[in-house]
Amino acid sequence: MWVNLDILFLRPADAPRHVIVTGLDLTGVVPGRLHGRFPSVEGDWYGIVNYEIGYADGRRDKLHLVDQFVPFTALRERR
């Protein structure tokens, strides 16, 4: 799966911006591994996903996120 961080971490357009160069880069699309899926009572689907988020300064280390509850609106099949 692809995880769209722009959708998952939607930022209000009018939110003030304070750049932290060593912060996490919560933009773009990253690969993920879907290993569970669940519907909500309202009919929305959510996946249990493992994925990584990189840092804005380009370091090789990444934040490894395990068993994250992600709405299907932020997920796309890899092709």
Side-chain angles (χ1 to χ4, degrees):
M1 300 299 290
W2 292 109
V3 179
N4 187 324
L5 300 177
D6 296 310
I7 294 172
L8 187 58
F9 299 106
L10 185 62
R11 197 170 189 311
D14 61 345
R17 192 160 185 231
H18 306 284
V19 175
I20 301 172
V21 295
T22 57
L24 294 169
D25 183 1
L26 301 177
T27 63
V29 178
V30 297
R33 187 175 67 88
L34 176 72
H35 56 92
R37 59 188 81 198
F38 299 92
S40 73
V41 71
E42 296 175 351
D44 300 314
W45 282 86
Y46 295 84
I48 304 299
V49 183
N50 296 352
Y51 64 98
E52 297 177 340
I53 296 177
Y55 289 88
D57 61 8
R59 69 182 91 169
R60 291 179 58 178
D61 294 332
K62 296 185 183 295
L63 178 64
H64 301 277
L65 298 164
V66 178
D67 293 343
Q68 299 298 297
F69 196 64
V70 178
F72 265 39
T73 56
L75 298 175
R76 188 176 77 235
E77 273 190 77
R78 279 198 249 179
R79 296 176 193 230

